[in-house]
Amino acid sequence: MITLQGLTKRFDALTAVDQVDLTVPAGEIMALLGPNGAGKTTTVRMLAAILKPTAGSAQVAGYDVVQDARRVRRNVGMLTESPGLYERMSGREYLNFFGELWELPALARQRRIDYLAERFEMRSALQRRLGQYSKGMMQKVTLMRTLLHEPPVLLLDEPTSAMDPSSARLVRDMILQLKSEQRAIIVCTHNLPEAEELADRIAIIRQGKIVERGSLAELKQRLLGQPVMEARFVQPSTDGVRALVAEFAEVLAYGDAWIRYATREPEQVNPVLLQAFVRADIPVLALREVPRSLESVYLRVVGKAVAAE
Amino acid sequence: MLFQKILLHFKRLVRHQQAVLRPIMVITRREVHDTLRDWRILVPICILSTVFPFLANFAAGRGLDFVNQYGAELIMTRLFPFLMLVVGFFPSSFSLVIALEVFVGEKERRSLEPLLASPLTDLQLYLGKLFSATFTPVVASYFAINFYALLVGLTVGWWPTLSLYAVTMVLSTAQAFVMVSAAVVISSQATSTRAANLIASFIILPLAFLLQGEASLLLFGDYDVLWLIALFLSVTTLLFVRMGIHVFNREHLLGRTIDALDVRGGWRVFWQACWPQEGVKRLYTQDLPRQLRALWPEIVFTLLVVFGGGWAVGAWGAHFFPLPAELLILPETLEVESFDVAIQEIGWLPNFSWGAVLWNNTRSLLLAALLALFSLGMLAELLLLLPLVIIAYLVLQVPSLGISAGSFLAAFILPHGVLELLAGVLATAQAMRMGVVILRAPEEGGGVLGAVRELGHFLRLFWAVVFPLLVVAAWIEVEITPRLAINFLNGL
């Protein structure tokens, strides 16, 4: 659904996006992460056929972003970085205006606006002027505008920024539903827990280049090493426990009634280890993976890049 | 069968046109709604289009009463059309404010990007905004003109002729379109409304000059020339629209230019353009020839304006205002000193020396360049046009003295005029470029830095080519031309 090959954008001497290759199939969410000025917005603008690439190519919904720019724009819903609303218009007028630009017939337009208003809990608010909206409401209207023409491709720049937790939850659920409807979605965000929750794959961009990509598990494996497991016991552990674990994995640390170990293959090692504990009559209270967040991955990548510079 | 095919084709064509025009109308409608909801724009427009015609009518009525006492109604009847033009101009001038708001304001508020992400073409977006910025002020302007005409008609009994009425309406529309189309070009230079407002003086000043010209024509009762001005404004609008379409594109609108003053960079650009960086030889063999080659459109334009316009206006003057017969008598004998006396009587020069002539010519061309900066180059062209009008006027008068126009030119004008005109055309063409380049996009060599660079080019051309030409021309004008002219006249 979205394919980028060597996509490059230069502004005079500045290379904002440098040889980016990416693929996002239908029904997948890709999170595009990176520090400010890394090239996320420029990439998204090229995918929305707003900016022309200096080199390389991009296909969106089956159309080339340069050759078929208008068709691309028809098939893309782009949530812009800033809402950029017309404050003297009411929410309904605003959505109507964009619906007309996307040439939605009047009746279908009204139905769609009503449906979205219901989904985003904005039915009564749509009658008010946009200038009276809170930031979160503005973000909701912007999202509604993005989804108005039911685009198969969504480019979402900070979709839940300025939203309260319940609104953000609502939007995240909406995004997951859109994914289940087989839409290809790129989410640019600095909200790493959100990216972790939503994204099937993650790409980290820095100084215009993709420096890391893959699923969260792959990234963790690659950047943070083997998964770390922690076992907690009912009784204080003994040297026998350490010896037992060491047979299957690398012991990292241990305490009175707990032990941490690293293993490349927890799917195989953990069941075997649990059986061994049972056989040795060591009651296990809990066995879990020590959480390693996307934030750790991100900081590792960005920190590595800074160190390399 | 054939008829059905034609009908089908026609229907398709109409559908296609509708599909193209509909988004333009959608944009226009939204912007007009938005404008009508903004009291900061609406209230002044309403006041100007209703209260001002009242005031103008009141002033006209009082004025008529006053001049009637002295039997000078003509003055007031000439003032009525002028006031009609003015009451129409004030509301239409709001188009500039709205245009800057619609184009730069939207860029500043970052509400443009959602529009750019829509299926609209750049042209549809541009036209939608162009019409929306023009619509309200033009309607208000029409209202003001008609309201004023009605008031004057009912209270004083003066009704405009159909031609005057039409030309006033057309002028009002054309002025609004010029302002809006120029504002779009200006908006390409600025990312904030504040900066755009400052640059907008480059539109207001020429239009103020134009309005004064129109006022003079109305006071002289020369309404036909106003149609020519309307035509000129329409052509100017088309040029601005063309430039506007060029700069109003997604790529440019989301560019990374910011309104920052780069004094050091500006000075570097100026110095590189003004001073030969790699020696005088390279200046004359490479830099200047390249500069002149690049200047050819402005040179051609200047030649057309100066020679075509000069000839046309001079011929018009010679036809309608010929010199009185008593002035067309040559004295028995002529001496060189008589030139000095004549020149001093005119008062243009302190004395007829080559230094005074050189000073006068240098001053005129530098002043023209300065004016070009604030008038899109137009005032520089007009200043050079003036002497050509006088020459054409004289050339067409001398046959009545029994002197052929060619001989007059050869004896009186060409000896120094060839060099002087060459210098004038080059300086004016470069001055014009300096005035126009400010409207071009910065990344295309325009904007403020572009103007600074062209100012450097102007000064380089001036000291390296124009000034030496003027020095030689001034010496010939004082030392050779008078002798040639006297020999010629004494030999008649």
Side-chain angles (χ1 to χ4, degrees):
Chain A
M1 200 63 104
I2 305 174
T3 314
L4 288 72
Q5 284 180 325
L7 198 71
T8 302
K9 181 69 188 177
R10 288 189 203 97
F11 297 103
D12 299 326
L14 175 81
T15 304
V17 176
D18 194 2
Q19 298 279 325
V20 168
D21 296 308
L22 274 181
T23 306
V24 186
E28 185 177 297
I29 298 177
M30 166 157 284
L32 199 55
L33 311 180
N36 292 327
K40 302 187 296 288
T41 303
T42 306
T43 305
V44 162
R45 281 175 176 171
M46 283 192 280
L47 293 179
I50 297 177
L51 291 177
K52 283 187 187 134
T54 313
S57 66
Q59 302 269 322
V60 176
Y63 300 108
D64 184 274
V65 292
V66 177
Q67 306 298 324
D68 296 304
R70 284 192 79 190
R71 285 203 177 101
V72 168
R73 288 198 289 269
R74 274 184 199 287
N75 286 285
V76 167
M78 186 187 174
L79 179 72
T80 47
E81 204 175 0
S82 53
L85 304 175
Y86 302 116
E87 297 192 344
R88 282 189 284 272
M89 288 178 114
S90 72
R92 186 167 287 276
E93 283 172 336
Y94 181 76
L95 293 172
N96 244 319
F97 166 64
F98 275 95
E100 278 191 89
L101 287 185
W102 259 279
E103 295 169 14
L104 300 179
L107 193 63
R109 200 163 62 226
Q110 292 313 318
R111 279 190 186 147
R112 183 76 182 146
I113 291 172
D114 288 339
Y115 166 76
L116 289 170
E118 203 68 54
R119 284 300 309 268
F120 283 94
E121 298 167 0
M122 289 284 285
R123 188 170 269 281
S124 59
L126 283 189
Q127 311 309 322
R128 283 162 41 201
R129 293 225 174 149
L130 292 168
Q132 299 169 339
Y133 280 21
S134 67
K135 279 186 180 174
M137 288 162 82
M138 284 184 180
Q139 187 71 358
K140 279 186 184 177
V141 170
T142 315
L143 258 169
M144 289 165 76
R145 182 199 71 212
T146 307
L147 302 175
L148 201 59
H149 56 295
E150 300 191 65
V153 173
L154 286 164
L155 308 171
L156 309 175
D157 206 344
E158 296 290 354
T160 57
S161 75
M163 281 185 175
D164 61 66
S166 62
S167 298
R169 177 75 265 157
L170 194 135
V171 168
R172 280 198 290 273
D173 289 346
M174 183 83 175
I175 292 172
L176 288 170
Q177 191 204 320
L178 291 163
K179 174 194 159 186
S180 70
E181 291 168 2
Q182 292 303 301
R183 295 175 210 265
I185 303 170
I186 290 183
V187 178
C188 300
T189 184
H190 292 297
N191 184 340
L192 299 180
E194 183 174 277
E196 201 166 347
E197 182 189 338
L198 293 176
D200 297 299
R201 285 190 303 131
I202 291 159
I204 300 177
I205 187 167
R206 193 181 151 75
Q207 295 190 334
K209 282 186 162 69
I210 300 279
V211 285
E212 280 298 341
R213 78 181 79 201
S215 67
L216 184 59
E218 285 167 357
L219 288 178
K220 281 180 183 173
Q221 173 94 8
R222 197 155 59 236
L223 294 156
L224 304 178
Q226 302 170 21
V228 176
M229 310 305 297
E230 185 182 270
R232 285 190 174 271
F233 307 106
V234 176
Q235 295 159 352
S237 59
T238 58
D239 289 346
V241 170
R242 285 199 298 278
L244 189 63
V245 174
E247 280 180 38
F248 301 97
E250 181 191 349
V251 176
L252 297 176
Y254 55 91
D256 264 359
W258 60 272
I259 188 164
R260 272 188 190 179
Y261 60 91
T263 172
R264 197 174 296 280
E265 293 164 327
E267 300 85 3
Q268 273 100 53
V269 169
N270 286 356
V272 174
L273 203 53
L274 272 175
Q275 280 174 1
F277 286 143
V278 172
R279 271 200 305 271
D281 201 19
I282 303 169
V284 176
L285 186 65
L287 179 62
R288 64 178 188 116
E289 185 179 350
V290 176
R292 294 178 304 170
S293 63
L294 177 59
E295 188 177 53
S296 327
V297 173
Y298 178 81
L299 291 175
R300 179 69 61 90
V301 173
V302 174
K304 213 163 68 178
V306 171
E309 284 160 22
Chain B
M1 196 65 181
L2 182 69
F3 178 72
Q4 273 181 331
K5 269 188 179 174
I6 292 171
L7 194 68
L8 194 69
H9 187 70
F10 180 73
K11 276 183 180 170
R12 269 192 206 143
L13 192 73
V14 168
R15 264 203 300 274
H16 175 72
Q17 291 304 320
Q18 280 177 340
V20 171
L21 294 177
R22 200 183 300 118
I24 298 174
M25 296 315 296
V26 172
I27 294 281
T28 305
R29 204 172 56 222
R30 193 210 77 76
E31 298 281 5
V32 170
H33 272 189
D34 219 37
T35 303
L36 294 178
R37 282 172 172 168
D38 190 347
W39 67 269
R40 293 165 305 170
I41 292 176
L42 198 60
V43 170
I45 283 192
C46 286
I47 290 174
L48 284 175
S49 53
T50 52
V51 178
F52 199 67
F54 261 118
L55 287 175
N57 179 48
F58 176 77
R62 297 285 82 74
L64 190 64
D65 291 344
F66 177 74
V67 294
N68 269 347
Q69 296 170 27
Y70 307 97
E73 310 81 70
L74 181 68
I75 294 172
M76 279 320 289
T77 49
R78 291 286 164 83
L79 208 58
F80 292 144
F82 165 66
L83 286 173
M84 192 161 79
L85 186 78
V86 170
V87 294
F89 177 76
F90 281 122
S92 80
S93 66
F94 264 78
S95 56
L96 183 60
V97 179
I98 297 174
L100 293 178
E101 175 65 20
V102 161
F103 286 95
V104 194
E106 189 144 38
K107 201 155 75 171
E108 192 177 25
R109 286 191 304 274
R110 295 179 163 207
S111 52
L112 200 56
E113 197 170 354
L115 285 178
L116 301 181
S118 75
L120 287 169
T121 63
D122 291 340
L123 182 64
Q124 284 171 328
L125 188 52
Y126 171 82
L127 289 177
K129 286 182 167 287
L130 180 79
F131 292 139
S132 64
T134 324
F135 181 79
T136 312
V138 165
V139 168
S141 170
Y142 289 168
F143 177 81
I145 290 169
N146 285 288
F147 189 41
Y148 169 78
L150 191 69
L151 285 174
V152 177
L154 293 176
T155 54
V156 183
W158 177 87
W159 297 95
T161 62
L162 188 63
S163 166
L164 176 65
Y165 174 76
V167 80
T168 310
M169 299 284 267
V170 169
L171 272 175
S172 198
T173 315
Q175 279 159 355
F177 271 98
V178 163
M179 282 188 272
V180 174
S181 54
V184 182
V185 181
I186 275 180
S187 74
S188 70
Q189 310 292 320
T191 51
S192 69
T193 317
R194 188 181 59 171
N197 275 316
L198 291 172
I199 310 176
S201 60
F202 287 97
I203 304 173
I204 286 292
L205 283 174
L207 268 175
F209 286 128
L210 188 74
L211 194 68
Q212 285 171 25
E214 288 168 4
S216 316
L217 289 167
L218 283 167
L219 291 173
F220 278 111
D222 207 339
Y223 306 148
D224 290 340
V225 182
L226 290 174
W227 283 109
L228 289 177
I229 292 179
L231 182 69
F232 165 75
L233 286 174
S234 306
V235 173
T236 310
T237 302
L238 286 177
L239 289 173
F240 276 134
V241 166
R242 198 171 164 273
M243 285 170 78
I245 291 168
H246 182 61
V247 295
F248 194 79
N249 61 69
R250 287 170 162 83
E251 197 75 21
H252 183 77
L253 291 168
L254 292 175
R256 291 172 167 236
T257 316
I258 51 165
D259 310 325
L261 183 64
D262 179 9
V263 176
R264 196 176 289 176
W267 171 252
R268 198 171 52 242
V269 166
F270 171 76
W271 186 247
Q272 281 172 356
C274 176
W275 196 249
Q277 304 297 310
E278 293 175 54
V280 175
K281 189 183 171 194
R282 188 189 150 97
L283 173 73
Y284 282 101
T285 55
Q286 290 185 36
D287 297 345
L288 283 171
R290 191 168 52 236
Q291 183 179 341
L292 291 174
R293 272 198 301 276
L295 201 61
W296 76 264
E298 285 83 0
I299 291 176
V300 170
F301 182 80
T302 305
L303 287 171
L304 281 174
V305 168
V306 168
F307 288 102
W311 179 260
V313 180
W316 174 82
H319 181 75
F320 290 103
F321 307 102
L323 283 171
E326 61 269 23
L327 284 178
L328 290 171
I329 299 167
L330 289 172
E332 291 295 315
T333 54
L334 280 164
E335 294 165 357
V336 174
E337 290 71 29
S338 62
F339 272 81
D340 201 4
V341 175
I343 292 291
Q344 283 183 49
E345 277 174 5
I346 293 169
W348 284 355
L349 292 175
N351 55 62
F352 191 55
S353 66
W354 74 268
V357 171
L358 176 66
W359 165 239
N360 183 55
N361 290 341
T362 305
R363 185 179 54 178
S364 305
L365 290 178
L366 289 178
L367 177 69
L370 185 70
L371 292 174
L373 269 174
F374 300 98
S375 63
L376 307 178
M378 283 302 137
L379 283 177
E381 298 286 338
L382 284 178
L383 269 185
L384 188 63
L385 182 70
L386 276 176
L388 267 291
V389 168
I390 296 169
I391 291 169
Y393 179 75
L394 290 174
V395 164
L396 291 167
Q397 300 280 316
V398 292
S400 55
L401 285 168
I403 304 171
S404 80
S407 307
F408 173 78
L409 265 178
F412 282 77
I413 308 294
L414 290 182
H416 63 279
V418 169
L419 298 178
E420 219 168 60
L421 274 174
L422 179 62
V425 167
L426 292 179
T428 304
Q430 183 62 51
M432 194 193 165
R433 166 163 286 207
M434 200 163 65
V436 171
V437 83
I438 192 129
L439 295 178
R440 268 196 220 149
E443 51 270 43
E444 289 170 11
V448 176
L449 267 189
V452 168
R453 190 190 55 249
E454 292 308 328
L455 175 66
H457 281 158
F458 175 83
L459 290 176
R460 182 172 75 177
L461 186 71
F462 203 90
W463 69 256
V465 179
V466 173
F467 190 71
L469 284 172
L470 290 179
V471 170
V472 179
W475 184 81
I476 295 173
E477 189 168 353
V478 172
E479 300 298 335
I480 295 178
T481 307
R483 285 170 178 79
L484 275 175
I486 285 162
N487 285 340
F488 172 74
L489 288 174
N490 289 337
L492 280 175

